[in-house]
Amino acid sequence: MNTDDPLDDLLSPKDDLRLDAGKADAFLRATARVVDNRRRLRNLRTAGLWALFFAAGMGAMYAVRPTKIEKEYVYVTVKERAVAKAETEAPRSAVELERLAERTFEKAKAAELFRLAGNRYYRQEQDMDSALRCYRFMLSETSAATVRLTEQDSWLLASLVESRKKEIAHANVEN
Amino acid sequence: MMEADAVIREAALRHAVLAGDADAWRAWYAAVHAPLEAYVLWRCGRCRHFAEDVLQETWMVAIKRLRDFDPAAGRFAGWLRGVAAKTIANHLRSRERRAKLIETLKQPPANEEPADGLQVAETLAELPDHYEAALRAKYLDQRSVNEIAEERNESPKAVESLLTRARAAFREAYEKRMEGVRP
């Protein structure tokens, strides 16, 4: 600014008056370092925060863990029940029992098997003819006098046994 | 660039730099360093050493206090000028720094560097802000009276009057200082 007033010269900037370019670069480097440090600090803070959350979680788990395990005794009442021998054996059908009886040579055992087969025909399959057949075979294997009737036995067997006992008694009288 | 675009751009740059983006900072620095350097040199009465110290401190303060910069309140260059003005005032106020500065200025001045630079700097520092702003617009930014009036939303006559008062205030304060310096 070219005027006569020396004030204008005093206040006007000089175009060729500049600082060294190296200074500007140095200021930039120094300030960029602060920005870089800020980024590192930010990353570190984030990582620290995650670590804090993790530690807090672990601490909470530690705090709520059970300190003492108490044993609780539970008493169970065991009720004993008598189990019939026939129930402990593998369940068999009337047909199987009858066939087993036919293959058994021991008379008493064969009679028992025919008896069981007859009961099953009678109670489970309501097959009167087969039941009657088995009871007859049973009485052929054993004497009616030795037969002890139980609750499991049917009225059919009972009447057959009674009838056979009467026949035996009658024969004895005649002789 | 529209004013709104400038605000958005500077808000984005501020956010990026605060997040640690050094590239964003380099771009921002490159855009505002030259005008800031010109301002600091002008405010320091064209004393290189003084201006270098002020610039260095201004940049360090600016990067550390960037969170205080509000893009909606004004441009980054203006905020930096404010930081620089405070830095200059602090330098001139501090006896220790002032003594160091006088020692520095005893060295032979470089080309275009005035011998009375410190007095110019001190005079500008003691002027009221609106006088300093008016003188800056006229001498540093080389704006015409009409341009200054438009920017300040005032009449050209009011600006002429303001400039006259600012120049008179500067002259009076400067001459008083020079009387104290001259043997």
Side-chain angles (χ1 to χ4, degrees):
Chain A
M1 194 166 289
N2 297 319
T3 60
D4 296 336
D5 191 342
L7 193 70
D8 290 335
D9 186 53
L10 211 56
L11 288 171
S12 296
K14 299 288 180 282
D15 291 340
D16 54 348
L17 184 65
R18 296 291 306 269
L19 298 185
D20 296 335
K23 291 284 177 189
D25 290 341
F27 300 155
L28 175 60
R29 275 197 302 277
T31 49
R33 225 175 3 250
V34 175
V35 177
D36 280 335
N37 288 343
R38 190 173 283 158
R39 191 190 67 244
R40 284 192 202 102
L41 193 69
R42 192 185 164 100
N43 292 343
L44 205 65
R45 203 180 295 145
T46 307
L49 212 60
W50 279 110
L52 196 70
F53 286 151
F54 179 75
M58 294 297 285
M61 279 175 66
Y62 182 79
V64 300
R65 83 195 191 289
T67 51
K68 187 182 172 187
I69 296 172
E70 290 183 349
K71 287 182 180 174
E72 186 183 355
Y73 291 94
V74 179
Y75 295 93
V76 179
T77 307
V78 178
K79 189 178 177 183
E80 290 185 352
R81 180 172 68 86
V83 180
K85 190 180 175 185
E87 286 183 35
T88 61
E89 291 173 352
R92 288 181 175 178
S93 66
V95 176
E96 283 174 329
L97 285 169
E98 187 181 2
R99 287 184 184 168
L100 188 62
E102 285 166 355
R103 292 196 298 272
T104 303
F105 297 103
E106 193 184 334
K107 282 184 172 286
K109 197 169 183 181
E112 183 59 27
L113 286 169
F114 277 123
R115 184 183 189 166
L116 282 171
N119 285 346
R120 289 211 176 166
Y121 276 126
Y122 177 80
R123 293 191 191 287
Q124 292 176 0
E125 298 175 25
Q126 285 83 43
D127 183 351
M128 296 297 166
D129 294 338
S130 298
L132 189 60
R133 182 182 67 244
C134 285
Y135 290 148
R136 280 187 180 141
F137 284 142
M138 174 204 160
L139 292 173
S140 68
E141 297 291 337
T142 185
S143 168
T146 60
V147 173
R148 297 278 181 277
L149 292 169
T150 67
E151 287 179 356
Q152 306 294 323
D153 294 325
S154 64
W155 64 268
L156 185 60
L157 176 61
S159 63
L160 272 175
V161 168
E162 284 305 310
S163 170
R164 187 61 60 89
K165 281 180 180 175
K166 281 179 185 171
E167 282 175 14
I168 293 167
H170 188 67
N172 288 341
V173 169
E174 282 183 350
N175 291 333
Chain B
M1 188 186 294
M2 299 283 288
E3 189 63 26
D5 290 345
V7 171
I8 292 168
R9 181 176 176 273
E10 293 198 332
L13 282 168
R14 175 184 176 274
H15 181 77
V17 173
L18 286 175
D21 187 340
D23 290 337
W25 174 245
R26 286 188 190 96
W28 211 3
Y29 180 94
V32 294
H33 178 74
L36 179 67
E37 183 186 302
Y39 173 73
V40 170
L41 272 166
W42 180 72
R43 281 294 308 266
C44 292
R46 304 198 293 262
C47 300
R48 283 174 193 270
H49 291 97
F50 186 21
E52 280 172 7
D53 286 351
V54 169
L55 255 181
Q56 183 177 20
E57 195 171 327
T58 299
W59 277 121
M60 291 313 288
V61 170
I63 194 63
K64 284 175 184 167
R65 295 197 181 160
L66 188 62
R67 207 172 288 278
D68 297 343
F69 165 60
D70 179 7
R75 300 291 301 271
F76 186 52
W79 184 74
L80 281 173
R81 276 200 302 269
V83 175
K86 278 182 190 158
T87 306
I88 291 167
N90 288 341
H91 272 258
L92 294 173
R93 243 193 323 265
S94 161
R95 284 184 182 179
E96 195 182 330
R97 282 179 174 179
R98 195 171 186 283
K100 189 181 161 192
L101 187 59
I102 289 168
E103 279 301 310
T104 308
L105 294 175
K106 277 179 184 170
Q107 294 166 8
N111 275 351
E112 299 294 330
E113 196 169 338
D116 53 357
L118 180 61
Q119 282 69 40
V120 173
E122 283 180 322
T123 307
L124 281 171
E126 77 177 37
L127 284 182
D129 287 347
H130 64 295
Y131 283 174
E132 187 265 356
L135 293 176
R136 170 164 49 85
K138 179 176 170 54
Y139 291 104
L140 180 66
D141 300 338
Q142 298 184 342
R143 302 280 166 85
S144 67
V145 170
N146 286 336
E147 284 171 336
I148 299 170
E150 199 175 326
E151 274 177 16
R152 295 173 67 95
N153 205 18
E154 288 175 5
S155 68
K157 201 171 179 181
V159 170
E160 270 178 11
S161 172
L162 174 69
L163 277 171
T164 306
R165 284 197 302 277
R167 281 162 55 90
F170 180 87
R171 191 191 308 276
E172 189 184 337
Y174 177 74
E175 283 176 354
K176 202 177 281 178
R177 281 189 181 281
M178 290 309 285
E179 276 172 21
V181 172
R182 281 176 195 133

